[in-house]
Amino acid sequence: MTPAKPRVVLGVGAGIAAYKVCELLRRLTESGHDVHVVPTRDALRFVGEPTWAALSGNPVAAEVWTGVDQVPHVRLGQGADLVFVAPATADLLARAACGLADDLLTNTLLTARCPVVFAPAMHTEMWEHPATQANVATLRERGAIVLEPAVGRLTGADTGKGRLPEPAELFEVARRVLARGNAPADLAGRHVVVSAGGTREPIDPVRFIGNRSSGLQGYALARTALARGARVTLVAANVALPDPAGAQVVPVGTAEEMRKAVLEAAADADAVVMAAAVADFRPADYRTSKIKKSESGEPEPIELVRNPDILAELGQHRRPGQVIVGFAAETDDVLANGRDKLVRKKCDLLVVNQVGENLAFGRPDNAAVVLAADGATTEIPRGPKEDLADVVWDLVVARL
């Protein structure tokens, strides 16, 4: 017997960003989801009904009076595995927060008993208005996941916060939320900080001391936290990956820059996960010109000094109730070195993984052992980095 396809209701608000949702719809259908598009009346001014019907393979309606014998205003929400609203305009957020039911989409939102995700898109002033922020807070308190909008080009010449995140990243949110089934958004109302990537310490304008970290594990942690309802600050060092939808991304380069960004974001964070590979040392002197070969051909020695220990500083100066998670990439004596680091850094959890040729760095999979300050040990078998991220957040939630 063929298993049923996950059923997604894709609500579309009346914003210019509706055209980007066509790409989200395509990704959902091509990955095996049964998608029913429910636009608002005015959303059809931006993208018409034939487009939504052709891309979804299902009939499209905006009014409760269409196909009334099927009771769509009740059945759509009852049968959905996920309701995903994009773009969620200021008007639509307000109507959803107030519990209005003046069209098929708002009726569906009231009857849905599955996870609901809103991807807002509007001008910066509208997003920052106290009314919108109050509506967002209300929806989050009720268990909905409301993503933070991206920063970038808006309608016309305006630029700022309010841009709809890219469809590929919205799809990742939908995929992660669906993977959790009806599990509650257990990080809702929480602010988490995740570091990712690898710092680079410049030697001269051309060369640097760095490492092999790609940022994939840190980004998996950020995406998974977003799917669990968290407000996420992602401090990313030298990462060539698209910004996760809904995360505030702070790009940094060096360990000093990462320290400043992480400590600033951690001031009001409930949890901090240091997944980045931070260089232990940096050159004592930065050469403003490229270092040339000497006549003898022998390289000049480079004096190194220690970088700040960000994880240890977080452990020493944590705010009450804050959970600190470190990562330890080891090549030898993995668990022994991990236990020593757990004590020295004063963190609650330490994710220990073996690195090396074709291990961890740059790969989509990972395996680890999570050591806890209370003596607990959790083994995570090799699998997708998102699965490891979910286990880490499970352990964090249990300690918040």
Side-chain angles (χ1 to χ4, degrees), residues 83-170:
V83 177
F84 199 107
V85 182
T89 61
D91 174 73
L92 186 48
L93 290 171
R95 289 192 288 137
C98 290
L100 299 182
D102 57 349
D103 63 6
L104 186 55
L105 178 53
T106 50
N107 273 272
T108 300
L109 290 170
L110 287 177
T111 58
R113 295 298 179 266
C114 60
V116 177
V117 179
F118 293 90
M122 64 198 75
H123 268 72
T124 306
E125 294 83 357
M126 300 173 75
W127 171 252
E128 293 176 347
H129 194 283
T132 302
Q133 290 301 303
N135 292 330
V136 168
T138 296
L139 291 169
R140 286 173 173 165
E141 287 169 5
R142 293 175 184 160
I145 297 172
V146 185
L147 302 175
E148 292 287 314
V151 176
R153 184 71 176 269
L154 306 174
T155 306
D158 292 343
T159 299
K161 188 171 185 177
R163 180 182 174 88
L164 187 72
E166 293 307 306
E169 289 303 314
L170 293 177

Side-chain angles (χ1 to χ4, degrees), residues 244-294:
Q248 178 188 357
V249 180
V250 182
V252 297
T254 66
E256 287 282 2
E257 291 172 355
M258 175 163 282
R259 174 185 176 273
K260 180 180 178 182
V262 167
L263 292 181
E264 181 178 330
D268 70 341
D270 297 288
V272 183
V273 181
M274 286 293 297
V278 183
D280 293 322
F281 306 99
R282 69 179 186 274
D285 298 306
Y286 172 72
R287 305 290 184 89
T288 56
S289 299
K290 178 183 175 182
I291 300 172
K292 299 290 187 180
K293 291 181 182 177
S294 63

Side-chain angles (χ1 to χ4, degrees), residues 59-376:
V60 174
E63 305 290 350
V64 295
W65 309 112
T66 304
V68 70
D69 58 309
Q70 301 296 317
V71 200
H73 71 290
V74 174
R75 294 288 180 259
L76 280 171
Q78 286 180 335
D81 298 301
L82 171 67
V83 177
F84 199 107
V85 182
T89 61
D91 174 73
L92 186 48
L93 290 171
R95 289 192 288 137
C98 290
L100 299 182
D102 57 349
D103 63 6
L104 186 55
L105 178 53
T106 50
N107 273 272
T108 300
L109 290 170
L110 287 177
T111 58
R113 295 298 179 266
C114 60
V116 177
V117 179
F118 293 90
M122 64 198 75
H123 268 72
T124 306
E125 294 83 357
M126 300 173 75
W127 171 252
E128 293 176 347
H129 194 283
T132 302
Q133 290 301 303
N135 292 330
V136 168
T138 296
L139 291 169
R140 286 173 173 165
E141 287 169 5
R142 293 175 184 160
I145 297 172
V146 185
L147 302 175
E148 292 287 314
V151 176
R153 184 71 176 269
L154 306 174
T155 306
D158 292 343
T159 299
K161 188 171 185 177
R163 180 182 174 88
L164 187 72
E166 293 307 306
E169 289 303 314
L170 293 177
F171 170 72
E172 289 300 320
V173 173
R175 192 173 65 83
R176 293 306 300 159
V177 173
L178 280 165
R180 288 180 52 75
N182 279 325
D186 51 8
L187 286 173
R190 302 290 192 176
H191 175 210
V192 303
V193 177
V194 178
S195 70
T199 62
R200 295 178 180 178
E201 311 301 324
I203 299 171
D204 61 22
V206 177
R207 305 174 181 91
F208 60 83
I209 297 173
N211 56 67
R212 297 178 183 271
S213 179
S214 64
L216 288 172
Q217 185 63 73
Y219 273 57
L221 283 155
R223 289 192 180 98
T224 302
L226 288 161
R228 296 171 77 144
R231 176 167 67 91
V232 177
T233 300
L234 176 60
V235 182
N238 307 294
V239 173
L241 297 170
D243 292 350
Q248 178 188 357
V249 180
V250 182
V252 297
T254 66
E256 287 282 2
E257 291 172 355
M258 175 163 282
R259 174 185 176 273
K260 180 180 178 182
V262 167
L263 292 181
E264 181 178 330
D268 70 341
D270 297 288
V272 183
V273 181
M274 286 293 297
V278 183
D280 293 322
F281 306 99
R282 69 179 186 274
D285 298 306
Y286 172 72
R287 305 290 184 89
T288 56
S289 299
K290 178 183 175 182
I291 300 172
K292 299 290 187 180
K293 291 181 182 177
S294 63
E295 290 188 6
S296 66
E298 293 299 317
E300 296 181 30
I302 298 174
E303 182 184 356
L304 300 177
V305 296
R306 288 190 64 85
N307 265 326
D309 191 328
I310 305 171
L311 182 58
E313 192 169 354
L314 286 166
Q316 291 170 0
H317 304 293
R318 72 176 69 199
R319 56 190 289 263
Q322 190 175 64
V323 177
I324 306 296
V325 183
F327 269 67
E330 302 289 347
T331 56
D332 304 293
D333 299 323
V334 175
L335 289 181
N337 288 332
R339 291 190 179 97
D340 176 64
K341 185 173 182 178
L342 176 70
V343 174
R344 285 188 293 105
K345 307 294 186 178
K346 294 183 172 61
C347 46
D348 300 284
L349 299 167
L350 189 74
V351 183
V352 186
N353 60 332
Q354 187 169 13
V355 296
E357 194 70 28
N358 294 320
L359 286 176
F361 289 147
R363 293 184 58 86
D365 60 339
N366 205 353
V369 175
V370 184
L371 305 176
D374 59 13

